[in-house]
Amino acid sequence: MKMTIRDIAEAAGVSTTTVSQILNNKGSRFSEKTREKVMTIVEEFNYKPDFFAQNMVTKKSQTIGMIVPDVTDFFFSKLIEGVEAYLNSLGYMILLCNSNHQAELEDKYFEELVHRSVEGVIIATPNQLSDSILKHERILNKSMSLILVDMGRNKRTEGKLLVEEYEGVYHATSYLIEEGHEAIGFLQEVGDYYQLSERITGYLNCLEDHHIAVQSSWVQSGPLTIEGGYLATKALLTTAVTPITALVCSNDQMAVGAYQAINEQGLKIPEDISVIGFDGLEISRYMAPALTTVHQPIFEIGYTAGEFIMGAIDSPQRKIPNKIFETKLIKRDSVKRLTR
């Protein structure tokens, strides 16, 4: 039989109000002896307060809604891990929704989360959000907080979580050129993923700055998935007028697919083609050969999103800060130096 506050009160010889206030950290007016007596009984019977009843008292659900485009994507799973690490440490839980990249589902899930009285919502989205979210009454009157992980796609002056993508890809392409490569391919995203224009721009500008003419067949598009990288690399290898000696991928998952496509062509990495990814996922260390990649701090981005939304909940009138995350080139075994 589940123990109630009334049972604890009777066992401790105090009122239910006393027990309730002690459990909700509002019992400063009670003696240490009374507090110890109540907490001893709570621990002895492993009492856990009814979550919904407690919410009625505190007016807090201790729940944050989170909407992501694809929970199976390595990037978003790491992002979620970072958000949870921060929120769970404060006793908060995530109510997670998978939008499958659909703007309509983002609107639907947002309304559902509002109805479930979440204290805030974190949305990772490749879309321009609708006014039904951005101008929702609870967002405008700051009774509910909203944090976006959207690469700055939605206009705002605060709460921007941005990654130095341009610098990361520029540095990666420069590294390949320093290693003697000039025929460098690029796999860019297509479809409903983030429009990673900074990454393709970093690649193109780097080649231009080094006076290397880009051939259109060196750039192929695909979804930011393993299959997307595989198909895009197959297309590149069969259509490139000048065969490439190196390849930059828009993310590590595309690089995994690129490995397979290159191997199927009877080519070896890095002996025939050097490969660089982007993200710095854990899997990149265990690829054969280990993948050189541009690391972005995905876990830290999620952790910061959790930190920012709690700051907005605690101080709704205070401006949410912006934060820029640096990238770092991790050099491993998938790049070969060419001798001229």
Side-chain angles (χ1 to χ4, degrees), residues 189-200:
E189 90 296 336
V190 70
D192 348 9
Y193 279 76
Y194 286 114
Q195 298 302 303
L196 304 176
S197 57
E198 290 290 299
R199 299 185 190 181
I200 181 68

Side-chain angles (χ1 to χ4, degrees), residues 107-164:
D107 289 345
K108 175 186 175 183
Y109 284 139
F110 182 81
E111 287 297 334
E112 291 292 339
L113 291 170
V114 171
H115 293 155
R116 282 164 173 74
S117 299
V118 298
E119 294 182 49
V121 178
I122 297 171
I123 304 180
T125 178
N127 301 314
Q128 179 69 46
L129 294 176
S130 67
D131 286 347
S132 63
I133 293 177
L134 296 176
K135 296 184 178 180
H136 192 280
E137 179 184 5
R138 290 198 60 191
I139 299 300
L140 294 179
N141 66 23
K142 296 185 178 294
S143 63
M144 190 175 80
S145 302
L146 175 66
I147 294 292
L148 305 181
V149 182
D150 65 346
M151 307 299 183
R153 188 171 179 82
N154 291 274
K155 292 183 179 179
R156 59 195 184 280
T157 59
E158 58 180 311
K160 290 183 180 180
L161 303 172
L162 301 176
V163 176
E164 292 183 341

Side-chain angles (χ1 to χ4, degrees), residues 15-32:
S15 69
T16 55
T17 300
T18 299
V19 174
S20 178
Q21 290 187 345
I22 289 174
L23 291 177
N24 287 292
N25 297 315
K26 296 179 179 179
S28 57
R29 65 188 179 90
F30 302 112
S31 68
E32 189 61 31

